[in-house]
């Protein structure tokens, strides 16, 4: 089923004035970012600049010292643990660098389990998982995911991220562990499917080819994001 979010008033993601420090060292320093419904945004930047910290803040796993985050109009910062958990399971899908799948289960089971944990009955969960696995060219009756190729595992991970029809997909280096051929297949699945389903997509990547597939590209430097081609001083002047 395709998410029909064309009439959504709220952006998929809004981040304003976000600040995070570790050990007294600022990592995010007044970061602002928005991802519209159906839009893809890629974030590049050097290792340690705060890209994964940004994703963890959106997921409610890191509490910022200042700033606000909304996912589809629902507040993440300041919300109760129960509310944040509902946002994570109902509004956000995540694709990790190495899939983070349950190795001894097959692909279909990995995807269906995510749907059942979000409250769907088994029959509905399996049907939704079946449809996504078929869409991504994966064997529904295939072996445990530990025996799949890296590209197949990442496509299973994407199916799992999409199965609950989220408003926002977060992808943390989704192609970093893949060879060139599989990078192209997984990236195409990621961008085409989220665009079709009208999800917002925020992709953290070091791969310039993947980054350029996004509707909008930004870099994270000195704790803030800036459009590709804009200097830090230009960002300060525009704020």
């Amino acid at each position: 089923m395709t998410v029909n979010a064309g009439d959504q008033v709220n952006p998929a993601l809004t981040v304003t004035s976000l600040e995070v420090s570790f050990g007294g060292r600022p990592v995010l320093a007044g970061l602002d970012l928005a991802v519209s419904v159906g839009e893809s945004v890629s974030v590049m930047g050097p290792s340690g600049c705060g890209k994964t910290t940004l994703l963890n803040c959106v997921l409610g796993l890191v509490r910022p010292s200042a700033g606000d985050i909304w996912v589809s109009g629902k507040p993440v910062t300041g919300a109760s643990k129960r509310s944040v958990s509902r946002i994570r399971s109902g509004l956000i899908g995540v694709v990790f660098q190495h899939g983070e799948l349950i190795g001894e289960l097959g692909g279909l089971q990995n995807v269906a389990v995510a749907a059942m944990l979000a409250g769907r009955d088994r029959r509905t969960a399996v049907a939704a998982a079946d449809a996504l696995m078929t869409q991504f060219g994966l064997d529904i009756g295939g072996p445990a995911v530990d025996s799949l190729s890296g590209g197949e595992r990442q496509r299973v991970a994407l199916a799992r991220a999409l199965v609950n029809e989220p408003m926002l997909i977060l992808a943390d280096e989704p192609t970093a562990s893949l060879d060139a051929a599989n990078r192209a297949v997984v990236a195409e699945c990621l961008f085409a499917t989220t665009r079709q389903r009208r999800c917002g997509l925020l992709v953290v990547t070091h791969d310039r080819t993947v980054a350029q597939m996004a509707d909008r590209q930004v870099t994270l430097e000195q704790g803030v994001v800036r459009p590709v081609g804009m200097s830090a001083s230009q960002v300060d002047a525009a704020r």
Side-chain angles (χ1 to χ4, degrees):
M1 175 180 175
T2 299
V3 175
N4 182 8
D7 296 327
Q8 281 284 333
V9 174
N10 296 306
L13 173 66
T14 306
V15 180
T16 61
S17 304
L18 198 67
E19 297 182 12
V20 176
S21 297
F22 294 125
R25 181 179 70 88
V27 177
L28 304 179
L31 183 148
D32 297 314
L33 180 66
V35 181
S36 300
V37 171
E39 180 187 31
S40 58
V41 177
S42 61
V43 182
M44 298 189 72
S47 296
C49 71
K51 300 186 299 296
T52 297
T53 297
L54 170 60
L55 298 187
N56 285 336
C57 286
V58 175
L59 288 167
L61 302 176
V62 170
R63 185 180 294 273
S65 55
D68 293 291
I69 300 170
W70 294 268
V71 174
S72 193
K74 306 288 187 184
V76 175
T77 47
S80 67
K81 289 183 178 180
R82 179 172 293 182
S83 294
V84 172
S85 179
R86 282 198 292 264
I87 290 170
R88 277 200 298 262
S89 62
L91 294 177
I92 302 175
V94 186
V95 182
F96 299 98
Q97 179 175 344
H98 299 292
E100 305 299 333
L101 301 169
I102 304 172
E104 62 270 23
L105 296 183
L108 182 69
Q109 288 75 26
N110 266 274
V111 180
V113 162
M116 288 187 282
L117 288 174
R120 295 203 208 181
D121 63 83
R122 185 178 184 280
R123 178 176 294 181
T124 304
V126 169
D130 187 318
L132 282 163
M133 293 280 288
T134 300
Q135 180 178 348
F136 293 150
L138 295 162
D139 184 358
I140 293 168
V145 293
D146 273 350
S147 63
L148 299 179
S149 71
E152 289 170 326
R153 286 196 298 271
Q154 286 303 82
R155 279 182 282 157
V156 172
L158 177 56
R160 182 184 61 185
L162 289 165
V163 73
N164 292 320
E165 302 182 350
M167 294 305 304
L168 176 67
I169 294 290
L170 304 177
D172 190 3
E173 300 285 1
T175 62
S177 61
L178 306 178
D179 59 30
N182 277 307
R183 279 200 302 271
V185 171
V186 170
E188 178 61 28
C189 287
L190 176 66
F191 285 97
T193 308
T194 51
R195 191 171 289 119
Q196 172 201 0
R197 288 175 168 251
R198 300 285 294 160
C199 302
L201 171 62
L202 184 62
V203 183
V204 163
T205 182
H206 282 98
D207 189 325
R208 192 169 301 277
T209 300
V210 173
Q212 290 173 344
M213 296 177 71
D215 298 321
R216 185 157 51 93
Q217 303 166 55
V218 300
T219 59
L220 205 168
E221 295 179 13
Q222 299 176 12
V224 298
V225 293
R226 60 178 178 84
V228 169
M230 181 180 285
S231 68
S233 61
Q234 287 173 315
V235 173
D236 290 338
R239 293 175 66 182

